[in-house]
């Protein structure tokens, strides 16, 4: 069954505003200003447009890919660019620690090298080196020279006017337009467009249009920039004399039998004289030997538009027997077909991959988008998040168009896709656990390659078991034939390396792969493929897990030793909570699948699964991360709560885990964690709307202007984020925001979201939520459910349900309307504002979402901060105010009511004018109910925040607005310290009111 929810937004973004624009004439277009100044979203056409130019910064560059080719493009145009260091930092992150710059590559183009600059286990290099993604020459550049000035990535911004750049998401086309005044003289209207063909994946196109206000001589350079070919070796290059073509060839370093070829053919309209074409001397563009360029001179005539196009063809011998011929043909046929024809077939293919029904819609039934800024952003990322990941996949149509080339779609998705070498382009659990689930349910064809990559590496995974001698699991005879173990990181070979150990590290990668296999079968219904290809690997992982466990004679249970869970702050521990639960789940599921497909059941696996116990603390009512965990823990990323998210695991500790580990999350962790908290909160919370707060936390602090690409970190400056050079664009985080868990249907839409029409989802190959059925049925669909109803489980709700010819209506669980504190008039109100800036992710909404695990925190303790809630009529007699300050109480606070918003009072002002405000309660000195005791730091205790509860002497009538004013920070009084935390604020009404006829009015 499918549990399609990871939904949560907030309506209090102070800088965003909602604006509807109209095109000239009668055509209306729904276009909105985003919270990023100068960035707009056209929702009718899925256009994201920025009018702000930021050069030399990776956050402002966009990556394009078609699943086979990938490239990163400069902010000013389709150029190669090196980052301008910020705070003396221009370094990419672990494990390469190389220079940040634009990148281009081919799927599977991995090298072999002795080691990387960073590693998990450097001593493993004695057994072999690393395999990292290698670059190819940056092929998109069409550089212009005029009046002695150069238009490239570092063009003088003072020479540019009217800058605009647009990503057409539906067409996967990136464009730029502006007026260039070269050398401060004359005007040239510049228009660039780039796309990587989604159907014919060896092809890409760059178009340049130039229009001048007066006659002018210019030179256009077609550049293949070799400085982008990092970790590659020069093979060959050429300047063709019979066609306007240049080409370059490189090999991944250390790999002698693989070569990638990059061809570029120039074409122009009647304004372009190709007879002026010339070979540009080496050294003009790039220092790398693989650089090559050709030029053409243009005599621009005022008012006429010159069009220069370059048609790219790229192929490597990883996927093609004759890569040079394939690349050459792709370039020449592209030029022959022309821009318009290629663009048309490219858009057609994208329309089959990302139609409107494949993404979530927040539009109301009347066709309007709610006037709530954060729902606008939710609408934007509902499109952009899947798009950015889908760019890096190859569909069945593209495979067929390449002659049913079975080598095209066997590569998984790197952490930052094919337009970045972040994390060395290696494959992690990110693909299986974070990127895949949200796409598996809506785009099963796209996620096939994530599964196929592990199938390709299966033989090596079997061989990897023989490396146990170099680990703590080196007992003779412990592992027998039949098992398979995958490394933590994987490139060309899938072997155990210094960055990707197979033993004494993150064993959960193997269970993650098993989950992905099962999920792919659940959505596709392809039982034949699962039985033939995936079930044997799933069983081999079970075989390995069963032998990895160690029997503890004293306890009588099987335990996992010397492992690292998803929380990488806790390395090499025993009885890691999530991995232990995952192993138990995998063993049980393996037997269930074998039984389902008529294969033998392994009784030993069942026995060992029965004798597994998770580490728990009964007093705190939580599952521990590992046996010896103490209360001082700081958690890097989602860990224990993944048990409730990913596994079919009955746990009495779910709520305790959610609250406890929310308080332990490091602010320096990666940006996919809070999507998990949102899913789990939505699933298990009995009241409130914290899932809404968590999902907001898992998205907005990580989204970067202008393209809504995610960064790995909340803060991109490594000096303040724990020393991390963030991965970018972080597809893992985008997947975390987009993902849904393959669990069950049990919806609870937060009250802040008026309406949600969910994306089309698949189960056993049958489309759910869309008719007619024949248009939403996969070729692999389980035919049983073509004639029989689909069984449906509604979470923990009793009864059996089915989906057949008639719609199944599932009632929304309105947990947001269930009071956590009885009579609280503030819970989950939709209009909440903060008078001050607040810490990223610590949203005002969190203070009234019915959960103490989320919080609001102003950015500065030196500034008085006011939280205002639009309560609205009716008005209530208030008897009590409850405040949970979390871990950081203020020095002073006040609660007051008013009938106007936007107030900016100090505590001393509150009693001055009773006509303006009604003071409810205040204190100049907040008492601590949970003072910090150093000797308790290591004690595991249930989460309890500092609380201030006031029962009023006499009821006070509420106003339209409730305000909470806080001053100071009792834990840190320095000027630079953040403000106090407010985990939950409740204003409790007195009993029920009756109207004049004696009927209750609330």
């Amino acid at each position: 069954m499918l549990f399609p929810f990871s939904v949560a937004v907030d309506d209090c973004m102070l800088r965003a505003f909602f604006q509807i624009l109209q095109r000239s004439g009668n055509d209306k277009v729904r276009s909105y200003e985003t919270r990023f100044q100068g960035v707009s979203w056209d929702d009718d056409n899925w256009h994201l447009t920025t009018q702000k130019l930021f050069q030399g910064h990776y956050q402002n560059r966009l990556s394009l890919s078609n699943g086979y080719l990938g490239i990163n493009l400069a902010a000013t145009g389709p150029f190669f660019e090196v980052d301008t260091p910020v705070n003396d930092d221009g370094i990419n992150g672990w494990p390469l620690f190389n220079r940040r710059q634009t990148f281009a590559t081919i799927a599977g183009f991995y090298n072999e090298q002795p080691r990387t600059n960073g590693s998990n286990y450097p001593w493993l290099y004695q057994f072999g080196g690393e395999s990292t993604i290698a670059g190819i020459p940056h092929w998109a550049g069409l550089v212009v020279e005029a009046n002695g000035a150069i238009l490239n990535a570092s063009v003088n911004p003072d020479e540019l006017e009217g800058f605009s750049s647009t990503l057409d998401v539906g067409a996967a086309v990136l464009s730029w337009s502006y007026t260039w005044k070269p050398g401060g003289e004359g005007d040239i209207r510049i228009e660039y467009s780039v796309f990587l063909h989604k159907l014919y994946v060896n092809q890409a196109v760059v178009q340049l249009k130039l229009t001048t206000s007066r006659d002018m001589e210019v030179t256009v350079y077609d550049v293949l920039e070799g400085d982008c070919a990092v970790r590659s070796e020069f093979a060959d290059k050429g300047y063709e004399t019979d066609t306007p073509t240049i080409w370059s060839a490189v090999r991944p370093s250390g790999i002698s039998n693989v070569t990638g070829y990059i061809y570029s053919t120039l074409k122009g309209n009647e304004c372009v004289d190709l007879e002026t074409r010339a070979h540009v001397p080496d050294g003009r563009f790039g220092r790398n030997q693989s650089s090559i360029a050709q030029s053409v001179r243009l005599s621009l005539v005022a008012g006429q538009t010159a069009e220069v196009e370059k048609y790219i063809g790229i192929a490597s011998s990883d996927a093609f027997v004759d890569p040079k011929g394939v690349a050459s043909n792709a370039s020449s046929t592209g030029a022959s077909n022309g821009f318009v024809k290629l663009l048309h077939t490219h858009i057609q293919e994208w329309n089959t991959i990302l139609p409107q029904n494949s993404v979530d819609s927040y539009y109301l039934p009347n066709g309007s988008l709610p006037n709530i800024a954060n729902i606008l952003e939710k609408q934007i990322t509902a499109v952009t998040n899947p798009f950015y990941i889908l760019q890096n996949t190859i569909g069945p149509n593209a495979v067929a168009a390449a002659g049913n080339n079975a080598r095209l779609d066997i590569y998984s998705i790197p952490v930052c896709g094919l337009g970045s070498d972040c994390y060395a382009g290696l494959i992690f659990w990110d693909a299986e656990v974070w990127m895949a689930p949200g796409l598996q349910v809506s785009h099963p064809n796209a996620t096939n390659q994530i599964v196929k990559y592990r199938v390709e590496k299966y033989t090596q995974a079997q061989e990897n078991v023989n490396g146990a001698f170099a680990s703590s699991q080196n007992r003779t005879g412990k592992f027998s034939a039949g098992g398979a173990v995958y490394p933590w990181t994987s490139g060309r070979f899938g072997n155990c390396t210094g960055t990707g150990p197979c033993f004494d590290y993150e064993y959960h990668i193997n269970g993650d792969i098993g989950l992905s296999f099962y999920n792919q079968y659940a959505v596709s219904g392809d039982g034949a493929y699962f039985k033939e290809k995936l079930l044997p690997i799933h069983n081999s992982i079970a075989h390995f897990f069963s032998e990895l466990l160690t029997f503890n004679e004293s306890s009588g249970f099987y335990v996992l030793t010397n492992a690292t869970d998803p929380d990488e702050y806790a390395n090499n521990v025993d009885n890691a909570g999530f991995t232990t639960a995952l192993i138990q789940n995998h063993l049980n599921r393996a037997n269930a699948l074998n039984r389902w497909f008529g294969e033998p059941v392994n009784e030993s696996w069942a026995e060992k699964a029965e004798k597994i116990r998770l580490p728990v603390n009964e007093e705190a009512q939580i599952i521990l991360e590992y046996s010896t965990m103490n209360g001082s823990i700081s958690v890097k990323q989602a860990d224990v709560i993944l048990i409730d998210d990913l596994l079919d695991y009955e746990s009495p500790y779910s709520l305790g885990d959610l609250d406890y580990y929310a308080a332990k999350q490091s602010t320096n962790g990666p940006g996919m964690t809070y999507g998990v908290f949102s899913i789990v909160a939505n699933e298990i919370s009995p009241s409130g709307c914290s899932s809404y707060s968590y999902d907001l936390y898992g998205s907005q602090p990580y989204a970067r202007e202008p393209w809504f690409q995610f960064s790995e970190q909340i803060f991109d400056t490594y000096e303040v984020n724990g020393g991390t050079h963030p991965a970018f664009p972080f597809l893992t985080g985008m997947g975390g925001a987009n993902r849904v868990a393959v669990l069950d249907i049990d919806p609870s839409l937060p009250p802040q979201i008026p309406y949600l029409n969910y994306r089309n989802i698949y189960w056993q190959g049958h489309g759910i939520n869309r008719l007619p059925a024949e248009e939403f049925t996969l070729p692999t669909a389980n035919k049983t459910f073509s004639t029989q109803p689909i069984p449906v489980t509604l979470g923990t709700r009793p009864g059996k349900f089915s989906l057949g010819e008639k719609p199944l209506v599932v009632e929304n669980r309105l947990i947001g309307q269930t009071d956590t504190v009885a009579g609280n008039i503030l819970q989950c109100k939709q209009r909440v504002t903060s008078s001050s800036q607040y810490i990223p992710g610590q949203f005002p909404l969190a203070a009234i979402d019915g959960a103490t695990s989320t919080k609001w925190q102003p950015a500065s303790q030196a500034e008085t901060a006011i939280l205002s809630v639009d309560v609205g009529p009716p008005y209530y007699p208030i008897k009590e105010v409850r405040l949970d300050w979390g871990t950081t109480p203020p020095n002073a606070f006040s609660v007051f009511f008013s009938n106007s918003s936007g107030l900016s009072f100090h505590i001393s002002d509150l009693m001055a004018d009773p006509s303006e405000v009604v003071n409810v309660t205040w204190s100049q000195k907040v008492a601590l109910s949970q003072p910090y005791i150093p000797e308790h730091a290591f004690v595991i205790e249930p989460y309890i925040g500092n609380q201030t509860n006031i029962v009023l002497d006499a009821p006070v009538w509420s106003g339209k607005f409730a305000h909470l004013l806080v001053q100071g920070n009792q834990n840190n009084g320095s000027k630079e310290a953040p403000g106090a935390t407010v985990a939950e604020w409740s204003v409790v009404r007195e009993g029920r009111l009756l109207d004049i006829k004696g009927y209750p009015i609330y």
Side-chain angles (χ1 to χ4, degrees):
M1 300 298 107
L2 300 170
F3 176 73
F5 278 91
S6 175
V7 289
V9 290
D10 188 65
D11 59 352
C12 57
M13 296 179 348
L14 298 178
R15 291 192 299 149
F17 61 95
F18 180 95
Q19 183 179 18
I20 298 179
L21 304 175
Q22 287 190 343
R23 282 181 178 158
S24 59
N26 296 324
D27 292 334
K28 292 183 179 180
V29 59
R30 292 175 292 195
S31 184
Y32 310 94
E33 295 299 316
T34 72
R35 65 184 169 104
F36 299 131
Q37 185 178 3
V39 178
S40 61
W41 170 252
D42 171 356
D43 197 63
D44 283 338
N45 300 296
W46 288 0
H47 288 180
L48 194 56
T49 299
T50 179
Q51 295 179 323
K52 293 180 68 175
L53 174 62
F54 295 95
Q55 293 169 269
H57 302 304
Y58 63 91
Q59 301 95 330
N60 301 104
R61 296 198 292 261
L62 188 70
S63 292
L64 290 179
S65 176
N66 63 8
Y68 184 62
L69 311 176
I71 191 167
N72 188 239
L73 301 160
T76 53
F79 310 120
F80 175 78
E81 182 178 49
V82 176
D83 268 43
T84 301
V86 177
N87 296 325
D88 297 322
D89 176 33
I91 302 299
N92 208 348
W94 184 94
L96 295 175
F97 296 108
N98 56 332
R99 181 177 73 174
R100 283 201 194 266
Q101 61 181 43
T102 54
F103 183 71
T105 194
I106 308 169
F109 206 64
Y110 290 98
N111 77 346
E112 185 174 14
Q113 62 188 64
R115 63 185 300 134
T116 51
N117 291 324
S119 176
N120 289 311
Y121 290 90
W123 64 273
L124 288 176
Y125 287 133
Q126 64 184 302
F127 303 111
E130 298 282 2
S131 172
T132 70
I133 197 69
I136 63 174
H138 195 275
W139 45 259
L142 280 175
V143 174
V144 186
E145 183 177 18
N147 297 336
I150 297 291
L151 175 59
N152 58 12
S154 56
V155 63
N156 183 350
D158 294 335
E159 296 180 351
L160 304 184
E161 292 181 354
F163 175 85
S164 179
S165 183
T166 296
L167 171 64
D168 183 337
V169 178
V173 176
L174 180 61
S175 61
W176 299 260
S177 64
Y178 44 81
T179 297
W180 179 40
K181 294 179 176 292
E185 300 179 10
D187 292 345
I188 307 178
R189 184 63 183 171
I190 299 291
E191 297 175 80
Y192 282 107
S193 296
V194 180
F195 65 90
L196 285 65
H197 208 288
K198 192 62 174 171
L199 181 60
Y200 306 117
V201 294
N202 299 102
Q203 295 182 328
V205 184
V206 183
Q207 183 186 70
L208 166 63
K209 295 182 179 181
L210 307 97
T211 309
T212 63
S213 58
R214 61 180 177 84
D215 294 356
M216 186 180 299
E217 298 292 323
V218 303
T219 301
V220 175
Y221 299 91
D222 170 15
V223 183
L224 304 180
E225 183 83 47
D227 286 0
C228 184
V230 291
R231 296 174 300 282
S232 288
E233 299 168 356
F234 171 68
D236 201 358
K237 62 184 178 183
Y239 173 85
E240 304 291 333
T241 57
D242 55 344
T243 62
T245 301
I246 56 175
W247 59 273
S248 182
V250 294
R251 299 187 182 96
S253 60
I255 305 294
S256 60
N257 63 341
V258 173
T259 306
Y261 290 86
I262 302 92
Y263 273 72
S264 177
T265 300
L266 273 180
K267 187 178 181 180
N269 67 358
E270 64 278 2
C271 298
V272 179
D273 183 6
L274 289 178
E275 294 297 323
T276 64
R277 172 177 173 260
H279 185 188
V280 178
D282 287 354
R284 177 69 189 274
F285 297 99
R287 297 166 295 176
N288 188 284
Q289 190 179 358
S290 62
S291 296
I292 188 170
Q294 61 182 332
S295 66
V296 62
R297 296 195 305 274
L298 278 67
S299 297
L300 298 179
V301 177
Q304 293 186 8
T305 298
E307 295 182 4
V308 183
E309 295 157 356
K310 60 187 295 186
Y311 292 87
I312 302 298
I314 301 176
S316 89
S317 44
D318 277 313
F320 295 92
V321 175
D322 178 20
K324 184 175 183 181
V326 170
S328 175
N329 182 65
S331 179
S332 61
T333 58
S336 176
N337 286 326
F339 185 88
V340 173
K341 186 175 181 179
L342 287 181
L343 180 61
H344 176 68
T345 52
H346 167 72
I347 292 175
Q348 279 186 318
E349 178 63 9
W350 262 110
N351 285 342
T352 68
I353 293 170
L354 194 66
Q356 287 193 343
N357 59 41
S358 70
V359 301
D360 303 336
S361 172
Y362 293 85
Y363 276 86
L364 300 171
N366 65 9
S368 67
L369 191 66
N371 189 358
I372 303 172
N374 285 301
I375 289 187
L376 166 61
E377 183 152 336
K378 201 66 184 168
Q379 183 67 36
I380 295 170
T381 56
V383 178
T384 56
N385 282 341
F387 167 76
Y388 287 132
I389 306 173
L390 284 167
Q391 279 198 120
N392 295 279
T393 64
I394 292 180
N397 292 343
V399 172
N404 293 313
N405 188 335
R407 300 295 301 172
L408 271 180
D409 63 342
I410 60 171
Y411 303 104
S412 189
I413 306 177
V415 175
C416 297
L418 295 174
S420 170
D421 59 355
C422 91
Y423 282 105
L426 296 168
I427 306 302
F428 292 74
W429 73 316
D430 302 53
E432 277 85 8
V433 170
W434 303 102
M435 300 178 208
L439 290 183
Q440 280 176 312
V441 295
S442 57
H443 297 82
N445 287 334
T447 52
N448 270 327
Q449 69 187 68
I450 294 174
V451 168
K452 288 183 178 180
Y453 176 78
R454 300 300 183 178
V455 174
E456 283 288 311
K457 301 298 182 274
Y458 176 42
T459 300
Q460 182 61 51
Q462 292 173 300
E463 177 63 28
N464 289 341
V465 178
N466 296 325
F469 72 91
S471 74
S472 66
Q473 305 288 337
N474 60 0
R475 181 161 53 86
T476 302
K478 181 166 187 178
F479 296 99
S480 62
V485 58
Y486 287 85
W488 176 237
T489 69
S490 185
R492 177 174 293 276
F493 306 110
N495 59 318
C496 312
T497 70
T499 65
C502 296
F503 292 89
D504 296 337
Y505 199 52
E506 302 202 39
Y507 291 114
H508 67 86
I509 180 67
N510 300 281
D512 302 331
I513 292 169
L515 284 171
S516 183
F517 285 1
Y518 176 72
N519 291 348
Q520 192 68 20
Y521 165 61
V523 297
S524 71
D526 195 345
Y529 181 76
F530 185 87
K531 183 176 181 179
E532 178 187 357
K533 295 292 187 180
L534 305 186
L535 185 58
I537 304 176
H538 196 281
N539 283 337
S540 291
I541 293 172
H543 183 106
F544 171 76
F545 275 159
S546 71
E547 294 183 336
L548 177 65
L549 296 170
T550 300
F551 187 70
N552 186 305
E553 297 286 350
S554 60
S555 68
F557 298 120
Y558 284 92
V559 297
L560 174 68
T561 61
N562 204 17
T564 297
D565 241 5
D567 176 17
E568 292 166 346
Y569 289 168
N571 291 273
N572 303 107
V573 297
D574 292 344
N575 213 18
F578 170 70
T579 306
T580 299
L582 182 62
I583 290 174
Q584 185 183 53
N585 177 273
H586 188 97
L587 294 175
N588 285 329
R589 189 177 61 245
N591 273 335
L593 289 169
N594 283 323
R595 189 178 297 111
W596 181 264
F597 285 99
E599 298 295 320
V601 170
N602 190 308
E603 297 298 339
S604 173
W605 298 350
E607 176 190 357
K608 290 184 177 180
E610 179 63 29
K611 293 182 178 179
I612 289 176
R613 297 293 183 273
L614 302 192
V616 300
N617 184 299
E618 292 291 352
E619 291 184 8
Q621 287 288 287
I622 64 168
I623 296 173
L624 301 176
E625 279 202 346
Y626 50 92
S627 297
T628 57
M629 186 187 103
N630 64 54
S632 67
I633 190 171
S634 175
V635 181
K636 179 181 179 183
Q637 59 199 41
D639 191 301
V640 167
I641 63 165
L642 286 169
I643 296 172
D644 287 300
D645 179 19
L646 301 177
L647 307 181
D648 185 15
Y649 195 90
E650 294 293 331
S651 172
Y653 309 107
S654 299
L655 280 173
D657 291 339
L658 186 68
D659 290 345
Y660 185 85
Y661 288 108
K664 296 295 184 179
Q665 293 297 312
S666 170
T667 57
N668 297 326
M672 70 279 195
T673 286
Y674 289 101
V676 174
F677 276 83
S678 177
I679 291 169
V680 174
N682 190 281
E683 181 183 1
I684 68 174
S685 292
S687 61
C689 53
S690 61
S691 63
Y692 180 92
S693 304
Y694 282 128
D695 193 59
L696 185 64
Y697 196 176
S699 176
Q700 290 190 15
Y702 302 95
R704 296 291 180 266
E705 62 176 312
W707 307 119
F708 287 88
Q709 299 174 110
F710 282 23
S711 175
E712 182 183 20
Q713 302 290 125
I714 288 181
F715 301 104
D716 290 341
T717 304
Y718 78 101
E719 294 174 338
V720 298
N721 69 13
T724 298
H725 305 271
F728 190 91
F730 193 50
L731 297 184
T732 309
M734 298 181 219
N738 181 60
R739 61 184 290 275
V740 293
V742 183
L743 295 173
D744 50 28
I745 296 173
D746 195 17
S748 178
L749 192 65
Q752 296 88 347
I753 302 176
Y755 193 83
L756 172 61
N757 188 12
Y758 208 68
R759 70 193 84 171
N760 183 47
I761 57 179
Y762 286 90
W763 184 82
Q764 288 290 282
H766 297 275
I768 311 296
N769 195 33
R770 292 292 181 271
L771 292 173
E774 58 269 17
E775 294 184 15
F776 297 95
T777 301
L778 302 178
T780 57
N782 187 333
K783 293 182 173 52
T784 299
F785 302 105
S786 298
T787 57
Q788 297 181 19
I790 295 174
V792 178
T793 300
L794 302 183
T796 58
R797 306 185 200 190
K800 295 181 179 180
F801 306 86
S802 62
L803 177 62
E805 295 181 356
K806 296 181 179 180
L808 173 63
V809 179
V810 181
E811 184 180 355
N812 183 22
R813 291 183 298 115
L814 301 176
I815 62 173
Q817 296 182 16
T818 300
D819 290 346
T820 302
V821 175
N824 178 17
I825 68 171
L826 303 184
Q827 181 176 296
C828 298
K829 291 296 183 182
Q830 298 186 34
R831 301 186 181 279
V832 193
T833 57
S834 172
S835 66
S836 306
Q837 293 293 321
Y838 45 85
I839 299 294
Q842 310 302 288
F843 299 96
L845 168 77
I848 60 164
D849 63 8
T852 58
S853 56
T854 57
K855 58 184 179 293
W856 166 63
Q857 186 173 23
S860 173
Q861 69 87 26
E863 181 180 353
T864 299
I866 301 177
L867 185 71
S868 298
V869 182
D870 186 344
V871 182
Y875 303 119
Y876 309 98
I878 302 304
K879 67 175 182 178
E880 187 177 1
V881 174
R882 299 185 185 182
L883 290 155
D884 189 313
W885 303 112
T887 57
T888 310
N891 294 323
F893 81 94
S894 177
V895 174
F896 53 99
F897 299 144
S898 76
N899 287 328
S900 61
S901 62
L903 301 178
S904 181
F905 291 110
H906 293 282
I907 288 180
S908 58
D909 299 330
L910 295 181
M911 302 298 292
D913 187 354
S915 66
E916 287 289 332
V917 299
V918 174
N919 184 41
V920 180
T921 184
W922 64 294
S923 174
Q924 293 277 26
K925 183 176 178 59
V926 176
L928 298 181
S929 62
Q930 295 288 324
Y932 176 72
I933 304 174
E935 49 269 30
H936 283 190
F938 295 94
V939 177
I940 296 174
E941 300 174 317
Y943 170 77
I944 300 175
N946 284 279
Q947 296 178 357
T948 300
N949 298 326
I950 303 103
V951 177
L952 304 180
D953 294 334
V956 175
W957 281 90
S958 65
K960 188 177 189 310
F961 293 91
H963 307 275
L964 170 63
L965 181 151
V966 294
Q967 287 183 334
N969 175 338
Q970 287 201 36
N971 293 346
N972 189 341
S974 69
K975 191 174 183 179
E976 294 76 22
T981 55
V982 181
E984 196 64 19
W985 172 31
S986 302
V987 173
V988 183
R989 68 191 181 196
E990 200 172 48
R992 306 188 75 185
L993 287 182
L994 303 179
D995 65 15
I996 194 170
K997 295 183 178 180
Y999 295 106
I1001 62 174
Y1002 70 88

